[in-house]
Amino acid sequence: TMPKEPAVLRQNILDTTAAILACGIDPEKCFLFRQSLVPEHTELAWILGCLTNVPRLLRLPQWKMKRASQNNDGTVGLLTYPVLQAADILLYKSTHVPVGEDQVLHLELAQDIAQHFNKKYGEFFPVPKAILSKL
């Protein structure tokens, strides 16, 4: 949600990929891909954003905290990021999502969006459930 230098962003992508592989993820057993190369993520985010009301997004604590840290200059990208997260989850019709406590409200937003979409257009998205780590 913050502008990055292109070279830094490219390096971050490589570093993150290396870290994932170093953790033992086997690319022979799973798919690794750059989400930014899949246009359906942003396309679904746009559709879901048209079904999500702004007051709900303004109540999310992450918006309030980050906006305060940016001298009350929060961007539209920051505000709508939880909708993109919902699209990331719903696009693959995920039924269970591993989340930390700090992301429970964002998953609840994804659940609400899925339920709203299903009510309006018919059963399409599973309502994802949280898998909370026990750390």
Side-chain angles (χ1 to χ4, degrees):
T1 59
M2 297 296 297
K4 301 262 189 283
E5 290 295 321
V8 172
L9 182 58
R10 281 189 291 276
Q11 189 60 50
N12 288 348
I13 292 167
L14 293 175
D15 292 347
T16 300
T17 304
I20 289 169
L21 294 172
C23 288
I25 297 295
D26 184 351
E28 296 293 324
K29 295 181 180 178
C30 64
F31 293 102
L32 290 178
F33 62 93
R34 274 186 43 198
Q35 178 179 315
S36 60
L37 296 178
V38 180
E40 289 82 0
H41 283 270
T42 52
E43 291 168 359
L44 183 57
W46 172 258
I47 293 167
L48 300 179
C50 291
L51 298 173
T52 306
N53 68 51
V54 172
R56 173 72 191 279
L57 297 176
L58 292 172
R59 288 192 301 268
L60 292 172
Q62 286 86 345
W63 161 256
K64 292 176 184 177
M65 290 178 348
K66 287 228 177 177
R67 186 170 172 254
S69 72
Q70 295 175 6
N71 298 320
N72 292 322
D73 287 337
T75 64
V76 171
L78 178 62
L79 179 66
T80 60
Y81 185 70
V83 178
L84 177 61
Q85 287 180 307
D88 295 343
I89 294 165
L90 299 177
L91 181 63
Y92 298 99
K93 295 193 173 185
S94 303
T95 58
H96 293 80
V97 181
V99 294
E101 286 289 334
D102 64 325
Q103 292 297 307
V104 168
L105 292 176
H106 286 184
L107 183 60
E108 288 174 0
L109 176 69
Q111 293 167 336
D112 292 348
I113 290 172
Q115 290 168 340
H116 180 71
F117 186 97
N118 291 343
K119 184 177 178 184
K120 189 168 185 74
Y121 300 107
E123 289 298 314
F124 188 77
F125 293 117
V127 178
K129 293 178 176 33
I131 300 173
L132 292 168
S133 63
K134 296 189 170 58
L135 293 177

